[in-house]
Amino acid sequence: MKRIITLFAVLALIMSCAVFAGYGCKSGADKITTYTIECSLSGEVLTGSETVSFYNGTENSFTELKFNLFGNAFRSGAAYSPISSQYRARAYYNGVNYGDMTVSTVKDADGSPLAFEICGEDQNILSVALGKEVFPGETVKVTVDFTLKLAKVIARTGINRKAVNLANFYPILCGIEDGAFYECLYYANGDPFFSDCADYTVTLTADEKYVVAASGKVSDSVVNGGMRTSVYSAKNVRSFAFVLSDKFESVCDTSLGTEITYYFYDDAAPDKSLKAAVDSVRYFENTFGEYPYETFAVVQTEFVQGGMEFPSLVMISDSLEDKAYLEVTVHETAHQWWQTAVGNNEIKYGFLDEGLAEYSVVLFYENHPDYGYTRQSCVEAAEKTYKLFCSVYEKLFGGADTSMMRGLGEYSGEYEYVNIAYIKPTIMYDCLRETVGDNIFFKGLKRYYSEYKFKNADPYDLVGVFEKSGADTNGYFESFFDGKVIL
Ligand SMILES: [Zn+2]
């Protein structure tokens, strides 16, 4: 996600200071989890059925599967609401209302019902009893019938005034960490997601008036009785998302071999916006490694933060203008390398993908002077922002906790999170680059991408690739991670 620090955020902090709260993919036909989802959107309700073929790539056996029900966080009474108090008035444009996600049946491969329960700390988890043990290297298939009721809300999942943002629309297997399913709570702060890569085939039926942007390639499409049914596929993605709008126009570029499509409804210079995406993909491919998918959809929509990344699809807020709009486009595009391809537990280590996406923007600007920024101007702005944050916290609380190794629930709000997960790592990477030199620095980033593409990494994996690339980091990273370094 991209967040823009505004004076409002600082003021909100001063006034309220609300308290907030792997396994990788294996290539090969049978050694990856697959999702086959069929769903239909009618009004505010999406009904769906998914068959998930879970491949156990761990060394543990399982007798149950656990899925995140992110759509259920939009229900009335959720302890962890996706909408923070800071954004509540803007997000609920029509007054506060709710959605939810329900599960009606779960069946095994033979069609026999399986016992399941909705559990977790905040009714955020679907737990399915398999009735048998699934051993390492084995696959088990379950079919889940579900219903998602969409709230009228500007969020990752919801109906806004211009489009339907349809991310997290199905029960998704919890990511596996240390041999167990990791349950995600929907913190309003940051991006509270963690999943493993899988192959998807998704069939969506919706009103034919909609133009559909998707996390994958469309292979078939038919219209019947005013409804269009289209089949999409994507390989090695951590999730699958759509944005639907009857207002979308689109422009497309295939010059890089990837189908890059920009969907928009309010843009006086759509070619300029598309160019930012194409320039970003080209530069990041040359700098980090090949773009990992066949398609890339850059989608204008309503969003209260700057933007949000999903595999081969990014949402860009229509409230941004000019330079900020392009900057968010570059940032979200960088997430295709850092978060989508190289994954990480975003609840525990949000700074990993956010920091790299943010520093990737610095690298992009450094190499594209026509966008109006330089490396120096970006790093100086980061240092200034971070120093202001430290001085604000010094005045308010007698000091700032600058530790990066903490979960989303341990941040006091977005202002603190942005400074620790976005701004501080930008400074960290630039200092590292100054110290080890460009050769080792870029070797390290390329290595991080190639070694952890379609897998999940943790902060020590990041340190490891720089060490292996010839950097004697000697506690450098750790001093940033634990907050001991004084900037
Ligand atoms: Zn981001």
Side-chain angles (χ1 to χ4, degrees):
M1 187 182 283
K2 172 65 180 175
R3 289 173 166 77
I4 310 284
I5 295 185
T6 60
L7 186 60
F8 170 76
V10 179
L11 290 172
L13 169 91
I14 293 167
M15 287 186 295
S16 68
C17 199
V19 176
F20 281 83
Y23 281 85
C25 310
K26 309 278 193 297
S27 54
D30 299 315
K31 294 188 174 180
I32 186 163
T33 294
T34 63
Y35 289 76
T36 304
I37 305 174
E38 290 191 9
C39 54
S40 178
L41 178 67
S42 178
E44 298 163 9
V45 177
L46 181 124
T47 48
S49 179
E50 64 174 6
T51 296
V52 180
S53 184
F54 167 69
Y55 171 72
N56 183 3
T58 77
E59 294 173 355
N60 293 1
S61 62
F62 295 90
T63 55
E64 64 173 351
L65 297 183
K66 286 187 179 179
F67 298 77
N68 287 299
L69 300 176
F70 292 118
N72 215 21
F74 291 86
R75 75 188 191 285
S76 172
Y80 293 83
S81 167
I83 313 299
S84 70
S85 54
Q86 181 185 341
Y87 292 118
R88 205 166 170 82
R90 265 181 71 197
Y92 288 111
Y93 56 91
N94 218 7
V96 175
N97 68 108
Y98 301 101
D100 62 22
M101 182 178 269
T102 53
V103 173
S104 55
T105 55
V106 183
K107 292 175 180 165
D108 67 12
D110 300 324
S112 302
L114 292 171
F116 69 91
E117 62 173 333
I118 309 302
C119 52
E121 190 179 329
D122 193 25
Q123 297 178 41
N124 53 320
I125 299 296
L126 163 68
S127 175
V128 175
L130 294 170
K132 63 176 182 181
E133 204 163 356
V134 181
F135 293 98
E138 289 186 343
T139 295
V140 66
K141 197 180 275 189
V142 300
T143 297
V144 181
D145 294 332
F146 62 93
T147 301
L148 172 72
K149 182 177 177 298
L150 292 160
K152 285 183 177 157
V153 61
I154 301 172
R156 300 176 183 97
T157 313
I159 298 171
N160 64 50
R161 290 165 292 194
K162 302 286 176 50
V164 181
N165 289 352
L166 208 50
N168 303 317
F169 63 89
Y170 56 94
I172 183 170
L173 280 169
C174 297
I176 296 179
E177 190 172 74
D178 300 328
F181 290 110
Y182 182 90
E183 301 180 14
C184 294
L185 286 164
Y186 210 136
Y187 296 102
N189 216 16
D191 301 332
F193 308 117
F194 177 55
S195 58
D196 295 311
C197 286
D199 291 349
Y200 281 75
T201 304
V202 184
T203 304
L204 173 69
T205 300
D207 194 311
E208 67 169 319
K209 71 179 181 180
Y210 287 126
V211 173
V212 179
S215 279
K217 207 173 168 62
V218 63
S219 61
D220 192 23
S221 197
V222 291
V223 176
N224 191 352
M227 302 289 276
R228 178 181 285 107
T229 298
S230 301
V231 182
Y232 302 84
S233 58
K235 289 191 180 301
N236 262 323
V237 289
R238 296 181 189 281
S239 67
F240 199 100
F242 291 109
V243 183
L244 295 75
S245 177
D246 58 359
K247 296 174 176 58
F248 278 151
E249 295 177 64
S250 66
V251 284
C252 185
D253 183 294
T254 55
S255 63
L256 301 176
T258 300
E259 196 179 297
I260 303 174
T261 310
Y262 172 50
Y263 297 87
F264 64 98
Y265 45 79
D266 179 19
D267 191 334
D271 290 335
K272 196 175 163 191
S273 304
L274 175 67
K275 185 176 180 297
V278 175
D279 286 349
S280 304
V281 170
R282 183 191 302 110
Y283 175 70
F284 296 143
E285 282 199 318
N286 291 335
T287 309
F288 309 136
E290 195 181 5
Y291 176 75
Y293 306 110
E294 285 183 75
T295 61
F296 182 41
V298 178
V299 189
Q300 182 180 55
T301 186
E302 285 201 302
F303 206 69
V304 292
Q305 284 95 1
M308 180 66 206
E309 73 280 8
F310 301 96
S312 68
L313 182 149
V314 295
M315 297 176 181
I316 312 292
S317 170
D318 67 3
S319 64
L320 301 174
E321 287 178 3
D322 305 326
K323 280 187 169 180
Y325 195 80
L326 298 183
E327 182 181 331
V328 168
T329 302
V330 178
H331 174 101
E332 304 304 346
T333 302
H335 272 304
Q336 296 302 308
W337 280 260
W338 319 126
Q339 194 282 319
T340 289
V342 178
N344 51 267
N345 184 325
E346 294 181 86
I347 291 180
K348 288 167 74 174
Y349 311 120
F351 77 88
L352 266 184
D353 62 290
E354 291 303 350
L356 275 171
E358 199 69 351
Y359 194 66
S360 298
V361 174
V362 177
L363 296 173
F364 176 85
Y365 282 147
E366 180 183 348
N367 289 277
H368 295 80
D370 47 322
Y371 281 77
Y373 297 102
T374 63
R375 172 184 177 187
Q376 192 185 355
S377 70
C378 292
V379 175
E380 280 177 4
E383 288 171 347
K384 203 172 157 190
T385 303
Y386 188 73
K387 279 182 181 147
L388 175 64
F389 157 73
C390 290
S391 96
V392 166
Y393 266 64
E394 181 66 42
K395 285 195 180 91
L396 287 177
F397 310 116
D401 175 0
T402 59
S403 161
M404 297 157 80
M405 297 290 253
R406 51 182 153 150
L408 289 180
E410 296 170 80
Y411 287 94
S412 64
E414 194 156 286
Y415 181 58
E416 184 183 32
Y417 180 65
V418 168
N419 272 284
I420 301 301
Y422 293 59
I423 310 291
K424 189 179 172 188
T426 300
I427 299 166
M428 177 180 81
Y429 287 118
D430 203 67
C431 288
L432 177 71
R433 189 176 157 201
E434 285 284 335
T435 308
V436 302
D438 278 7
N439 186 29
I440 288 176
F441 181 76
F442 288 106
K443 212 166 131 186
L445 288 182
K446 279 192 175 84
R447 189 165 189 151
Y448 187 54
Y449 183 62
S450 63
E451 276 193 23
Y452 293 97
K453 186 176 167 184
F454 305 140
K455 299 177 186 170
N456 283 307
D458 68 25
Y460 299 103
D461 295 324
L462 176 79
V463 176
V465 293
F466 279 105
E467 294 269 353
K468 283 186 269 183
S469 301
D472 181 10
T473 63
N474 193 26
Y476 174 85
F477 280 107
E478 287 80 354
S479 66
F480 273 86
F481 292 168
D482 63 20
K484 284 186 184 146
V485 71
I486 306 293
L487 294 172

mmCIF file of all heavy atoms in Angstrom, residues 1-38:
data_model
loop_
_atom_site.group_PDB
_atom_site.id
_atom_site.type_symbol
_atom_site.label_atom_id
_atom_site.label_comp_id
_atom_site.label_asym_id
_atom_site.label_seq_id
_atom_site.Cartn_x
_atom_site.Cartn_y
_atom_site.Cartn_z
ATOM 1 N N MET A 1 0.852 -1.181 0.000
ATOM 2 C CA MET A 1 0.000 0.000 0.000
ATOM 3 C C MET A 1 0.890 1.233 0.000
ATOM 4 O O MET A 1 2.034 1.193 0.395
ATOM 5 C CB MET A 1 -0.890 -0.018 1.240
ATOM 6 C CG MET A 1 -1.923 1.077 1.258
ATOM 7 S SD MET A 1 -2.933 1.070 2.741
ATOM 8 C CE MET A 1 -4.054 -0.265 2.429
ATOM 9 N N LYS A 2 0.375 2.303 -0.501
ATOM 10 C CA LYS A 2 1.120 3.555 -0.448
ATOM 11 C C LYS A 2 0.326 4.548 0.372
ATOM 12 O O LYS A 2 -0.849 4.783 0.136
ATOM 13 C CB LYS A 2 1.323 4.082 -1.872
ATOM 14 C CG LYS A 2 1.909 5.481 -1.931
ATOM 15 C CD LYS A 2 3.322 5.559 -1.384
ATOM 16 C CE LYS A 2 3.844 6.990 -1.466
ATOM 17 N NZ LYS A 2 5.167 7.122 -0.843
ATOM 18 N N ARG A 3 1.002 5.091 1.344
ATOM 19 C CA ARG A 3 0.342 6.076 2.173
ATOM 20 C C ARG A 3 1.049 7.403 2.019
ATOM 21 O O ARG A 3 2.259 7.455 1.927
ATOM 22 C CB ARG A 3 0.370 5.635 3.631
ATOM 23 C CG ARG A 3 -0.553 4.478 3.852
ATOM 24 C CD ARG A 3 -0.408 3.914 5.241
ATOM 25 N NE ARG A 3 -1.522 3.040 5.507
ATOM 26 C CZ ARG A 3 -1.630 1.816 5.034
ATOM 27 N NH1 ARG A 3 -0.692 1.322 4.264
ATOM 28 N NH2 ARG A 3 -2.671 1.070 5.309
ATOM 29 N N ILE A 4 0.271 8.433 1.977
ATOM 30 C CA ILE A 4 0.824 9.776 1.856
ATOM 31 C C ILE A 4 0.690 10.429 3.227
ATOM 32 O O ILE A 4 -0.402 10.481 3.781
ATOM 33 C CB ILE A 4 0.014 10.598 0.821
ATOM 34 C CG1 ILE A 4 -0.146 9.827 -0.487
ATOM 35 C CG2 ILE A 4 0.620 11.963 0.628
ATOM 36 C CD1 ILE A 4 1.053 9.762 -1.372
ATOM 37 N N ILE A 5 1.809 10.889 3.756
ATOM 38 C CA ILE A 5 1.737 11.581 5.050
ATOM 39 C C ILE A 5 1.233 12.996 4.820
ATOM 40 O O ILE A 5 1.783 13.739 4.028
ATOM 41 C CB ILE A 5 3.107 11.634 5.722
ATOM 42 C CG1 ILE A 5 3.567 10.220 6.071
ATOM 43 C CG2 ILE A 5 3.063 12.489 6.961
ATOM 44 C CD1 ILE A 5 4.848 10.189 6.832
ATOM 45 N N THR A 6 0.193 13.329 5.465
ATOM 46 C CA THR A 6 -0.356 14.674 5.329
ATOM 47 C C THR A 6 -0.296 15.360 6.678
ATOM 48 O O THR A 6 -0.120 14.729 7.721
ATOM 49 C CB THR A 6 -1.829 14.620 4.889
ATOM 50 O OG1 THR A 6 -2.557 13.905 5.900
ATOM 51 C CG2 THR A 6 -1.992 13.911 3.563
ATOM 52 N N LEU A 7 -0.450 16.647 6.637
ATOM 53 C CA LEU A 7 -0.493 17.401 7.887
ATOM 54 C C LEU A 7 -1.640 16.889 8.738
ATOM 55 O O LEU A 7 -1.548 16.811 9.953
ATOM 56 C CB LEU A 7 -0.674 18.889 7.573
ATOM 57 C CG LEU A 7 -0.604 19.830 8.779
ATOM 58 C CD1 LEU A 7 0.746 19.724 9.465
ATOM 59 C CD2 LEU A 7 -0.879 21.252 8.342
ATOM 60 N N PHE A 8 -2.717 16.471 8.046
ATOM 61 C CA PHE A 8 -3.873 15.937 8.760
ATOM 62 C C PHE A 8 -3.474 14.759 9.638
ATOM 63 O O PHE A 8 -3.889 14.629 10.776
ATOM 64 C CB PHE A 8 -4.946 15.507 7.752
ATOM 65 C CG PHE A 8 -6.061 14.725 8.380
ATOM 66 C CD1 PHE A 8 -7.045 15.350 9.140
ATOM 67 C CD2 PHE A 8 -6.104 13.344 8.257
ATOM 68 C CE1 PHE A 8 -8.060 14.617 9.738
ATOM 69 C CE2 PHE A 8 -7.115 12.605 8.844
ATOM 70 C CZ PHE A 8 -8.084 13.241 9.582
ATOM 71 N N ALA A 9 -2.602 13.915 9.066
ATOM 72 C CA ALA A 9 -2.189 12.726 9.819
ATOM 73 C C ALA A 9 -1.452 13.125 11.084
ATOM 74 O O ALA A 9 -1.644 12.550 12.154
ATOM 75 C CB ALA A 9 -1.312 11.843 8.944
ATOM 76 N N VAL A 10 -0.602 14.139 10.963
ATOM 77 C CA VAL A 10 0.156 14.593 12.135
ATOM 78 C C VAL A 10 -0.796 15.193 13.164
ATOM 79 O O VAL A 10 -0.719 14.902 14.352
ATOM 80 C CB VAL A 10 1.225 15.632 11.713
ATOM 81 C CG1 VAL A 10 1.988 16.112 12.923
ATOM 82 C CG2 VAL A 10 2.173 15.035 10.683
ATOM 83 N N LEU A 11 -1.730 16.003 12.672
ATOM 84 C CA LEU A 11 -2.685 16.626 13.592
ATOM 85 C C LEU A 11 -3.555 15.580 14.266
ATOM 86 O O LEU A 11 -3.798 15.638 15.468
ATOM 87 C CB LEU A 11 -3.574 17.624 12.825
ATOM 88 C CG LEU A 11 -2.854 18.891 12.352
ATOM 89 C CD1 LEU A 11 -3.766 19.704 11.458
ATOM 90 C CD2 LEU A 11 -2.375 19.705 13.531
ATOM 91 N N ALA A 12 -3.983 14.586 13.463
ATOM 92 C CA ALA A 12 -4.826 13.534 14.027
ATOM 93 C C ALA A 12 -4.087 12.805 15.131
ATOM 94 O O ALA A 12 -4.643 12.454 16.162
ATOM 95 C CB ALA A 12 -5.241 12.555 12.925
ATOM 96 N N LEU A 13 -2.778 12.610 14.905
ATOM 97 C CA LEU A 13 -1.981 11.927 15.910
ATOM 98 C C LEU A 13 -1.922 12.747 17.188
ATOM 99 O O LEU A 13 -2.123 12.236 18.279
ATOM 100 C CB LEU A 13 -0.557 11.721 15.369
ATOM 101 C CG LEU A 13 0.406 11.255 16.445
ATOM 102 C CD1 LEU A 13 0.442 9.747 16.476
ATOM 103 C CD2 LEU A 13 1.775 11.828 16.244
ATOM 104 N N ILE A 14 -1.682 14.049 17.013
ATOM 105 C CA ILE A 14 -1.549 14.911 18.189
ATOM 106 C C ILE A 14 -2.874 14.966 18.954
ATOM 107 O O ILE A 14 -2.913 14.933 20.168
ATOM 108 C CB ILE A 14 -1.094 16.326 17.757
ATOM 109 C CG1 ILE A 14 0.337 16.236 17.214
ATOM 110 C CG2 ILE A 14 -1.166 17.311 18.909
ATOM 111 C CD1 ILE A 14 0.813 17.456 16.472
ATOM 112 N N MET A 15 -3.976 15.000 18.197
ATOM 113 C CA MET A 15 -5.270 15.151 18.852
ATOM 114 C C MET A 15 -5.753 13.858 19.513
ATOM 115 O O MET A 15 -6.277 13.875 20.600
ATOM 116 C CB MET A 15 -6.317 15.612 17.841
ATOM 117 C CG MET A 15 -6.128 17.066 17.447
ATOM 118 S SD MET A 15 -7.445 17.676 16.411
ATOM 119 C CE MET A 15 -7.258 16.712 14.960
ATOM 120 N N SER A 16 -5.570 12.745 18.816
ATOM 121 C CA SER A 16 -6.205 11.546 19.336
ATOM 122 C C SER A 16 -5.215 10.443 19.700
ATOM 123 O O SER A 16 -5.345 9.784 20.708
ATOM 124 C CB SER A 16 -7.189 10.986 18.307
ATOM 125 O OG SER A 16 -6.484 10.500 17.194
ATOM 126 N N CYS A 17 -4.222 10.252 18.852
ATOM 127 C CA CYS A 17 -3.250 9.184 19.044
ATOM 128 C C CYS A 17 -3.924 7.869 19.360
ATOM 129 O O CYS A 17 -3.684 7.236 20.387
ATOM 130 C CB CYS A 17 -2.241 9.540 20.116
ATOM 131 S SG CYS A 17 -0.782 8.523 19.985
ATOM 132 N N ALA A 18 -4.812 7.459 18.468
ATOM 133 C CA ALA A 18 -5.529 6.194 18.653
ATOM 134 C C ALA A 18 -4.551 5.026 18.680
ATOM 135 O O ALA A 18 -3.544 5.027 18.000
ATOM 136 C CB ALA A 18 -6.517 6.005 17.508
ATOM 137 N N VAL A 19 -4.855 4.053 19.482
ATOM 138 C CA VAL A 19 -4.000 2.879 19.576
ATOM 139 C C VAL A 19 -4.535 1.794 18.641
ATOM 140 O O VAL A 19 -5.713 1.515 18.624
ATOM 141 C CB VAL A 19 -3.970 2.350 21.028
ATOM 142 C CG1 VAL A 19 -3.156 1.073 21.111
ATOM 143 C CG2 VAL A 19 -3.399 3.410 21.933
ATOM 144 N N PHE A 20 -3.720 1.301 17.851
ATOM 145 C CA PHE A 20 -4.100 0.248 16.908
ATOM 146 C C PHE A 20 -3.501 -1.082 17.300
ATOM 147 O O PHE A 20 -2.523 -1.173 17.978
ATOM 148 C CB PHE A 20 -3.521 0.513 15.510
ATOM 149 C CG PHE A 20 -4.283 1.498 14.754
ATOM 150 C CD1 PHE A 20 -4.072 2.825 14.948
ATOM 151 C CD2 PHE A 20 -5.229 1.075 13.871
ATOM 152 C CE1 PHE A 20 -4.785 3.745 14.263
ATOM 153 C CE2 PHE A 20 -5.944 1.984 13.166
ATOM 154 C CZ PHE A 20 -5.730 3.324 13.360
ATOM 155 N N ALA A 21 -4.165 -1.021 16.744
ATOM 156 C CA ALA A 21 -3.471 -2.225 16.671
ATOM 157 C C ALA A 21 -2.547 -2.210 15.373
ATOM 158 O O ALA A 21 -2.735 -1.249 14.588
ATOM 159 C CB ALA A 21 -4.434 -3.344 16.464
ATOM 160 N N GLY A 22 7.622 -19.991 5.581
ATOM 161 C CA GLY A 22 7.063 -20.189 4.445
ATOM 162 C C GLY A 22 7.596 -21.216 3.504
ATOM 163 O O GLY A 22 8.736 -21.574 3.333
ATOM 164 N N TYR A 23 6.203 -20.822 3.580
ATOM 165 C CA TYR A 23 6.613 -21.766 2.543
ATOM 166 C C TYR A 23 6.317 -21.204 1.192
ATOM 167 O O TYR A 23 5.303 -20.596 0.962
ATOM 168 C CB TYR A 23 5.917 -23.110 2.725
ATOM 169 C CG TYR A 23 6.570 -23.905 3.791
ATOM 170 C CD1 TYR A 23 6.224 -23.709 5.111
ATOM 171 C CD2 TYR A 23 7.572 -24.801 3.488
ATOM 172 C CE1 TYR A 23 6.845 -24.414 6.100
ATOM 173 C CE2 TYR A 23 8.191 -25.515 4.481
ATOM 174 C CZ TYR A 23 7.825 -25.320 5.781
ATOM 175 O OH TYR A 23 8.450 -26.021 6.752
ATOM 176 N N GLY A 24 7.212 -21.363 0.263
ATOM 177 C CA GLY A 24 7.050 -20.789 -1.055
ATOM 178 C C GLY A 24 6.310 -21.713 -1.973
ATOM 179 O O GLY A 24 5.870 -22.788 -1.601
ATOM 180 N N CYS A 25 6.229 -21.238 -3.181
ATOM 181 C CA CYS A 25 5.540 -22.016 -4.185
ATOM 182 C C CYS A 25 6.523 -22.953 -4.830
ATOM 183 O O CYS A 25 7.652 -22.611 -5.051
ATOM 184 C CB CYS A 25 4.990 -21.083 -5.232
ATOM 185 S SG CYS A 25 4.090 -19.754 -4.496
ATOM 186 N N LYS A 26 6.065 -24.097 -5.103
ATOM 187 C CA LYS A 26 6.889 -25.034 -5.854
ATOM 188 C C LYS A 26 6.369 -25.026 -7.289
ATOM 189 O O LYS A 26 5.172 -25.031 -7.516
ATOM 190 C CB LYS A 26 6.738 -26.443 -5.279
ATOM 191 C CG LYS A 26 6.953 -26.525 -3.771
ATOM 192 C CD LYS A 26 8.418 -26.601 -3.431
ATOM 193 C CE LYS A 26 8.669 -26.990 -1.994
ATOM 194 N NZ LYS A 26 8.166 -26.033 -1.032
ATOM 195 N N SER A 27 7.282 -24.992 -8.211
ATOM 196 C CA SER A 27 6.816 -25.074 -9.585
ATOM 197 C C SER A 27 6.566 -26.537 -9.922
ATOM 198 O O SER A 27 6.989 -27.433 -9.217
ATOM 199 C CB SER A 27 7.842 -24.463 -10.531
ATOM 200 O OG SER A 27 9.074 -25.064 -10.319
ATOM 201 N N GLY A 28 5.868 -26.768 -11.008
ATOM 202 C CA GLY A 28 5.523 -28.152 -11.346
ATOM 203 C C GLY A 28 4.049 -28.339 -11.178
ATOM 204 O O GLY A 28 3.432 -27.725 -10.322
ATOM 205 N N ALA A 29 3.481 -29.221 -11.989
ATOM 206 C CA ALA A 29 2.029 -29.337 -12.092
ATOM 207 C C ALA A 29 1.345 -29.646 -10.773
ATOM 208 O O ALA A 29 0.319 -29.074 -10.455
ATOM 209 C CB ALA A 29 1.690 -30.394 -13.129
ATOM 210 N N ASP A 30 1.887 -30.560 -9.987
ATOM 211 C CA ASP A 30 1.169 -31.013 -8.806
ATOM 212 C C ASP A 30 1.704 -30.415 -7.509
ATOM 213 O O ASP A 30 1.122 -30.620 -6.460
ATOM 214 C CB ASP A 30 1.250 -32.539 -8.710
ATOM 215 C CG ASP A 30 0.620 -33.192 -9.929
ATOM 216 O OD1 ASP A 30 -0.479 -32.761 -10.323
ATOM 217 O OD2 ASP A 30 1.249 -34.094 -10.487
ATOM 218 N N LYS A 31 2.799 -29.701 -7.572
ATOM 219 C CA LYS A 31 3.432 -29.269 -6.336
ATOM 220 C C LYS A 31 3.091 -27.837 -5.984
ATOM 221 O O LYS A 31 3.917 -27.098 -5.477
ATOM 222 C CB LYS A 31 4.944 -29.461 -6.450
ATOM 223 C CG LYS A 31 5.326 -30.928 -6.549
ATOM 224 C CD LYS A 31 6.810 -31.107 -6.473
ATOM 225 C CE LYS A 31 7.160 -32.593 -6.421
ATOM 226 N NZ LYS A 31 8.603 -32.808 -6.338
ATOM 227 N N ILE A 32 1.884 -27.462 -6.265
ATOM 228 C CA ILE A 32 1.437 -26.129 -5.893
ATOM 229 C C ILE A 32 -0.058 -26.197 -5.589
ATOM 230 O O ILE A 32 -0.791 -27.002 -6.173
ATOM 231 C CB ILE A 32 1.740 -25.099 -7.003
ATOM 232 C CG1 ILE A 32 1.396 -23.677 -6.542
ATOM 233 C CG2 ILE A 32 1.003 -25.428 -8.302
ATOM 234 C CD1 ILE A 32 2.020 -22.595 -7.392
ATOM 235 N N THR A 33 -0.481 -25.370 -4.661
ATOM 236 C CA THR A 33 -1.912 -25.282 -4.335
ATOM 237 C C THR A 33 -2.652 -24.611 -5.493
ATOM 238 O O THR A 33 -2.130 -23.687 -6.117
ATOM 239 C CB THR A 33 -2.076 -24.475 -3.038
ATOM 240 O OG1 THR A 33 -1.494 -25.238 -1.976
ATOM 241 C CG2 THR A 33 -3.542 -24.189 -2.727
ATOM 242 N N THR A 34 -3.846 -25.096 -5.770
ATOM 243 C CA THR A 34 -4.648 -24.466 -6.829
ATOM 244 C C THR A 34 -6.025 -24.066 -6.289
ATOM 245 O O THR A 34 -6.574 -24.718 -5.397
ATOM 246 C CB THR A 34 -4.848 -25.406 -8.037
ATOM 247 O OG1 THR A 34 -5.595 -26.550 -7.611
ATOM 248 C CG2 THR A 34 -3.531 -25.860 -8.626
ATOM 249 N N TYR A 35 -6.550 -22.994 -6.843
ATOM 250 C CA TYR A 35 -7.906 -22.525 -6.547
ATOM 251 C C TYR A 35 -8.699 -22.527 -7.848
ATOM 252 O O TYR A 35 -8.238 -21.961 -8.856
ATOM 253 C CB TYR A 35 -7.910 -21.074 -6.042
ATOM 254 C CG TYR A 35 -7.356 -20.855 -4.652
ATOM 255 C CD1 TYR A 35 -5.984 -20.884 -4.414
ATOM 256 C CD2 TYR A 35 -8.210 -20.581 -3.583
ATOM 257 C CE1 TYR A 35 -5.486 -20.657 -3.145
ATOM 258 C CE2 TYR A 35 -7.721 -20.346 -2.301
ATOM 259 C CZ TYR A 35 -6.353 -20.391 -2.092
ATOM 260 O OH TYR A 35 -5.858 -20.152 -0.837
ATOM 261 N N THR A 36 -9.866 -23.142 -7.822
ATOM 262 C CA THR A 36 -10.809 -23.003 -8.927
ATOM 263 C C THR A 36 -12.054 -22.362 -8.338
ATOM 264 O O THR A 36 -12.747 -22.978 -7.508
ATOM 265 C CB THR A 36 -11.140 -24.378 -9.544
ATOM 266 O OG1 THR A 36 -9.908 -25.001 -9.937
ATOM 267 C CG2 THR A 36 -12.028 -24.220 -10.768
ATOM 268 N N ILE A 37 -12.300 -21.114 -8.721
ATOM 269 C CA ILE A 37 -13.371 -20.339 -8.087
ATOM 270 C C ILE A 37 -14.422 -19.979 -9.133
ATOM 271 O O ILE A 37 -14.075 -19.525 -10.231
ATOM 272 C CB ILE A 37 -12.808 -19.030 -7.473
ATOM 273 C CG1 ILE A 37 -11.670 -19.336 -6.496
ATOM 274 C CG2 ILE A 37 -13.911 -18.235 -6.781
ATOM 275 C CD1 ILE A 37 -10.952 -18.103 -5.952
ATOM 276 N N GLU A 38 -15.676 -20.211 -8.779
ATOM 277 C CA GLU A 38 -16.768 -19.734 -9.629
ATOM 278 C C GLU A 38 -17.615 -18.805 -8.789
ATOM 279 O O GLU A 38 -18.073 -19.189 -7.695
ATOM 280 C CB GLU A 38 -17.611 -20.914 -10.129
ATOM 281 C CG GLU A 38 -16.847 -21.761 -11.129
ATOM 282 C CD GLU A 38 -17.725 -22.759 -11.845
ATOM 283 O OE1 GLU A 38 -18.958 -22.679 -11.680
ATOM 284 O OE2 GLU A 38 -17.165 -23.604 -12.550
#
